[in-house]
Amino acid sequence: VGEDVKAALIKKHGILTMETIGEKVAYLKGLCEGLKIDDDKAEGKVIKGILDVLEDITMCVSTIDAE
Protein backbone atom coordinates (compact mmCIF):
# COMPACT_ATOMS: atom_id res chain seq x y z
CA VAL A 1 0.00 0.00 0.00
CA GLY A 2 1.39 3.38 -0.98
CA GLU A 3 2.24 5.96 1.64
CA ASP A 4 -0.42 8.34 0.32
CA VAL A 5 -3.10 5.66 0.77
CA LYS A 6 -1.88 4.92 4.30
CA ALA A 7 -1.89 8.61 5.14
CA ALA A 8 -5.44 9.01 3.84
CA LEU A 9 -6.64 6.02 5.88
CA ILE A 10 -4.95 7.26 9.04
CA LYS A 11 -6.41 10.74 8.52
CA LYS A 12 -9.91 9.35 8.06
CA HIS A 13 -9.91 6.48 10.58
CA GLY A 14 -7.07 7.14 12.99
CA ILE A 15 -4.23 4.66 13.24
CA LEU A 16 -5.22 1.68 11.17
CA THR A 17 -3.28 -1.55 11.54
CA MET A 18 -3.92 -5.10 10.48
CA GLU A 19 -4.50 -5.92 14.14
CA THR A 20 -7.31 -3.37 14.44
CA ILE A 21 -8.84 -4.50 11.15
CA GLY A 22 -8.69 -8.11 12.31
CA GLU A 23 -10.28 -7.11 15.60
CA LYS A 24 -13.11 -5.33 13.77
CA VAL A 25 -13.78 -8.36 11.59
CA ALA A 26 -13.75 -10.63 14.65
CA TYR A 27 -16.16 -8.26 16.42
CA LEU A 28 -18.57 -8.37 13.47
CA LYS A 29 -18.38 -12.17 13.36
CA GLY A 30 -19.15 -12.23 17.08
CA LEU A 31 -22.15 -9.97 16.55
CA CYS A 32 -23.50 -12.33 13.90
CA GLU A 33 -23.09 -15.28 16.22
CA GLY A 34 -24.74 -13.37 19.07
CA LEU A 35 -27.64 -12.37 16.84
CA LYS A 36 -27.96 -16.00 15.78
CA ILE A 37 -27.94 -15.10 12.10
CA ASP A 38 -29.54 -18.05 10.31
CA ASP A 39 -27.22 -19.15 7.53
CA ASP A 40 -29.98 -21.31 6.08
CA LYS A 41 -31.68 -18.11 4.92
CA ALA A 42 -30.40 -16.07 1.97
CA GLU A 43 -29.62 -12.99 4.09
CA GLY A 44 -27.62 -15.03 6.57
CA LYS A 45 -25.63 -16.70 3.81
CA VAL A 46 -24.75 -13.31 2.34
CA ILE A 47 -23.73 -11.78 5.68
CA LYS A 48 -21.61 -14.76 6.70
CA GLY A 49 -20.07 -14.90 3.21
CA ILE A 50 -19.09 -11.24 3.40
CA LEU A 51 -17.51 -11.76 6.81
CA ASP A 52 -15.57 -14.78 5.56
CA VAL A 53 -14.23 -12.76 2.63
CA LEU A 54 -13.27 -9.88 4.97
CA GLU A 55 -11.39 -12.34 7.16
CA ASP A 56 -9.58 -13.79 4.12
CA ILE A 57 -8.65 -10.31 2.88
CA THR A 58 -7.35 -9.37 6.33
CA MET A 59 -5.12 -12.45 6.41
CA CYS A 60 -3.81 -11.84 2.88
CA VAL A 61 -3.04 -8.18 3.49
CA SER A 62 -1.44 -9.03 6.82
CA THR A 63 0.85 -11.52 5.07
CA ILE A 64 1.77 -9.00 2.37
CA ASP A 65 2.32 -6.27 4.98
CA ALA A 66 4.67 -8.57 6.94
CA GLU A 67 6.85 -9.10 3.87
Side-chain angles (χ1 to χ4, degrees), residues 4-24:
D4 53 338
V5 174
K6 285 183 184 179
L9 287 171
I10 290 170
K11 183 177 181 183
K12 184 173 183 180
H13 301 286
I15 295 176
L16 193 62
T17 65
M18 288 315 302
E19 292 166 355
T20 58
I21 294 171
E23 289 168 1
K24 288 179 180 183

Side-chain angles (χ1 to χ4, degrees), residues 41-55:
K41 294 184 179 179
E43 296 88 352
K45 288 179 183 179
V46 170
I47 292 169
K48 289 193 177 194
I50 290 169
L51 290 173
D52 287 343
V53 169
L54 284 173
E55 190 173 41

Side-chain angles (χ1 to χ4, degrees), residues 30-65:
L31 281 179
C32 281
E33 290 172 10
L35 291 172
K36 296 181 173 55
I37 301 291
D38 186 0
D39 58 358
D40 289 331
K41 294 184 179 179
E43 296 88 352
K45 288 179 183 179
V46 170
I47 292 169
K48 289 193 177 194
I50 290 169
L51 290 173
D52 287 343
V53 169
L54 284 173
E55 190 173 41
D56 292 345
I57 291 169
T58 302
M59 284 189 238
C60 289
V61 173
S62 179
T63 302
I64 292 168
D65 199 33

